[in-house]
Amino acid sequence: MFSKVFCLFLLVVVVAVEGYGHAFSSNHISRHDGHHEAVHGHDHGHHDYYTHPKYEFDYKVEDHHTGDIKSQHEHRDGDAVKGAYSLHQPDGSHRHVHYHADDHSGFHADVKYSTHHIVPHHH
């Protein structure tokens, strides 16, 4: 399901970016398929399989015409997920988020905002 949603997102980004000429978009996905482990169910004739989840991805969009500037990277190894994303918000500030989650401590995010002050020059 994740891969279908991500592919749809990439298609929308590519279609949106192609109309403006000076935009940039990139992505990278790495899946690491481990060995399947059999997990026996309650009925003796049924077997479920579990694969250790491991992946990493990143993407970046820079469209200065529309102001759509954002990036994200994330990696997962088992139950531990770490990542970060940043984006330019409509008010001109930048949001930077670093997050991690695991089965012991839950989800935690560190959100920071930065602004760039523009000083007008008068002639």
Side-chain angles (χ1 to χ4, degrees):
M1 179 66 179
F2 168 77
S3 62
K4 290 179 184 176
V5 171
F6 190 71
C7 288
L8 179 60
F9 168 77
L10 289 177
L11 178 62
V12 169
V13 168
V14 169
V15 169
V17 166
E18 284 184 357
Y20 293 104
H22 290 84
F24 171 79
S25 173
S26 69
N27 68 71
H28 170 78
I29 301 172
S30 294
R31 265 187 30 202
H32 307 280
D33 293 330
H35 298 286
H36 300 296
E37 298 175 26
V39 179
H40 300 285
H42 293 290
D43 57 349
H44 298 288
H46 177 75
H47 296 282
D48 287 329
Y49 293 90
Y50 171 80
T51 301
H52 180 83
K54 187 173 181 180
Y55 66 82
E56 57 186 286
F57 75 86
D58 60 60
Y59 72 87
K60 184 175 188 176
V61 175
E62 287 186 19
D63 186 344
H64 295 279
H65 179 74
T66 64
D68 188 12
I69 301 171
K70 57 190 164 204
S71 64
Q72 180 177 6
H73 69 271
E74 179 177 292
H75 66 276
R76 177 179 182 178
D77 191 355
D79 290 330
V81 177
K82 292 182 181 181
Y85 71 88
S86 67
L87 61 101
H88 289 233
Q89 301 195 142
D91 67 357
S93 66
H94 300 198
R95 182 180 351 159
H96 305 275
V97 179
H98 291 268
Y99 59 90
H100 67 275
D102 60 41
D103 58 350
H104 298 291
S105 61
F107 178 81
H108 297 278
D110 179 27
V111 181
K112 294 186 177 163
Y113 295 90
S114 62
T115 58
H116 297 282
H117 299 286
I118 299 173
V119 178
H121 289 82
H122 298 284
H123 296 282

